[in-house]
Amino acid sequence: MTLREIKEILKAEIICGEEHLDIEIEFAGGSDLMSDVLAFGKPGLLLLTGLSNAQSVRTANIIDAKAIIYVRAKKPDKMGIALAKEKEIPLLSTHHMMYTACALLFNQGLPGVRSSSNQK
Amino acid sequence: MKKSDEHVLSQQFEIKGGDFSNAGKTSTSIKEILQEIGIDTSIIIRAAIAAYEAEMNVVMYAQRATFTLNITPEKLCFKVEDEGQGIDNLDMAMQEGFSTATDEMREMGFGAGMGLPNIKRNADRFKIFSTPGKGTSLDLTFFLNQDE
Ligand SMILES: Nc1ncnc2c1ncn2[C@@H]1O[C@H](COP(=O)(O)OP(=O)(O)OP(=O)(O)O)[C@@H](O)[C@H]1O
Ligand SMILES: [Mg+2]
């Protein structure tokens, strides 16, 4: 599903990266703990998070995540937005809470990260 | 890359403890360097995750650190030497879920107690030394030739 479709499903607002809305998203994962994201995340991830500091973007960039959806209408700070623009990571914000946002996407057919304990 | 160049690249970064607004910048730069060199993407991600977790630990638990990056045709090495409180019980610190992070750090998204286990899992070689009251150092190796 495209990021544009995801934006519609979540009635999300674009913070930056409007020009990348046609990218294809294959799987997603949600967490507010950055070490969790680094442990389960895989390149291509759509990250849903309630954490809105610059580390959310830095973490996404480290694992080559494709985009970030901030839940509960959160928005990252200026430093986070600047890095996202530089790294071409689109940022969106939805008023839905984490559980609902994930459920809405899952119901529309977007799967979670396939779990594997070792990425080596 | 020519075999004869022992050190293809060697670079040092300073990390400041407690500086949360800049936390993660060093690893972001290191990832960029690895991408410029053209290292295999799957190795870059493992190395970047380890660098980021190591950097965050310095920001959270130490005063300062020197992060040394060394690349040879065979391997990528990270040495992260900090001055700080050190770790009293390394076995405990290495367990998934063990964390002494404050509520403030947790609000920022840290303190899952997953950092050190994440680093160990992603590195091909992992060494940690710590002297309580003095500091901690991490020695990480990533082999660049898959068969090793
Ligand atoms: N450089 C360090 N100096 C002093 N103590 C450290 C250092 N690195 C880790 N520790 C100690 O080891 C514990 C476990 O570290 P680890 O990185 O696994 O988890 P965390 O930092 O608490 O949480 P997370 O990494 O998931 O955000 C820390 O809570 C801290 O007590
Ligand atoms: Mg940590």
Side-chain angles (χ1 to χ4, degrees):
Chain A
M1 122 184 7
T2 65
L3 192 56
R4 191 181 302 281
E5 293 172 275
I6 289 168
K7 172 184 176 288
E8 293 308 315
I9 294 166
L10 297 178
K11 298 189 172 49
E13 177 192 332
I14 304 163
I15 301 166
C16 71
E18 179 142 31
E19 64 279 24
H20 304 298
L21 282 184
D22 291 314
I23 57 171
E24 219 20 78
I25 303 287
E26 283 161 21
F27 57 94
S31 179
D32 290 351
L33 286 170
M34 292 302 110
S35 284
D36 258 1
V37 175
L38 293 168
F40 75 68
K42 297 218 165 63
L45 176 80
L46 171 72
L47 173 64
L48 288 97
T49 186
L51 196 81
S52 56
N53 53 22
Q55 271 80 32
S56 59
V57 183
R58 290 187 190 131
T59 304
N61 173 57
I62 289 290
I63 57 158
D64 287 348
K66 268 197 182 160
I68 306 177
I69 310 274
Y70 293 95
V71 297
R72 274 183 292 133
K74 299 214 169 179
K75 284 185 187 156
D77 55 25
K78 277 196 199 131
M79 246 199 282
I81 296 175
L83 179 68
K85 285 183 179 162
E86 187 194 324
K87 302 291 178 185
E88 302 187 342
I89 302 172
L91 307 180
L92 285 83
S93 177
T94 175
H95 66 277
H96 288 297
M97 292 202 276
M98 178 70 97
Y99 179 76
T100 316
C102 294
L104 285 169
L105 294 180
F106 194 83
N107 278 344
Q108 295 294 317
L110 186 68
V113 189
R114 246 178 289 127
S115 66
S116 78
S117 55
N118 201 325
Q119 42 197 314
K120 246 190 264 174
Chain B
M1 278 188 267
K2 273 188 288 167
K3 279 262 174 195
S4 53
D5 301 333
E6 225 338 83
H7 282 270
V8 173
L9 192 131
S10 186
Q11 202 162 328
Q12 276 200 345
F13 302 83
E14 299 299 324
I15 302 169
K16 262 206 341 242
D19 184 5
F20 280 93
S21 71
N22 287 309
K25 281 193 174 172
T26 297
S27 331
T28 305
S29 308
I30 288 172
K31 189 183 175 200
E32 284 164 4
I33 293 172
L34 301 181
Q35 284 171 321
E36 273 168 37
I37 296 176
I39 287 172
D40 187 82
T41 314
S42 68
I43 298 173
I44 292 182
I45 292 192
R46 288 199 278 119
I49 291 173
Y52 189 84
E53 292 284 17
E55 179 179 1
M56 286 314 311
N57 281 352
V58 170
V59 173
M60 290 198 281
Y61 309 112
Q63 264 86 59
R64 69 176 67 78
T66 310
F67 193 127
T68 312
L69 166 69
N70 260 309
I71 308 174
T72 71
E74 290 80 31
K75 59 188 196 237
L76 166 64
C77 297
F78 293 162
K79 209 186 222 338
V80 189
E81 295 165 296
D82 76 43
E83 285 167 37
Q85 65 197 47
I87 301 173
D88 289 327
N89 187 334
L90 272 179
D91 289 337
M92 214 135 89
M94 288 306 303
Q95 277 173 29
E96 289 194 3
F98 176 85
S99 176
T100 60
T102 60
D103 286 346
E104 202 190 348
M105 294 170 186
R106 284 170 205 275
E107 269 164 35
M108 287 190 279
F110 300 96
M114 292 294 291
L116 289 173
N118 269 356
I119 297 172
K120 189 172 182 188
R121 192 157 47 90
N122 281 290
D124 291 315
R125 272 193 200 151
F126 171 93
K127 281 188 203 148
I128 184 165
F129 311 92
S130 194
T131 313
K134 280 205 149 164
T136 303
S137 68
L138 271 179
D139 241 319
L140 310 177
T141 307
F142 304 84
F143 295 114
L144 300 177
N145 304 312
Q146 299 293 1
D147 7 297
E148 266 169 287

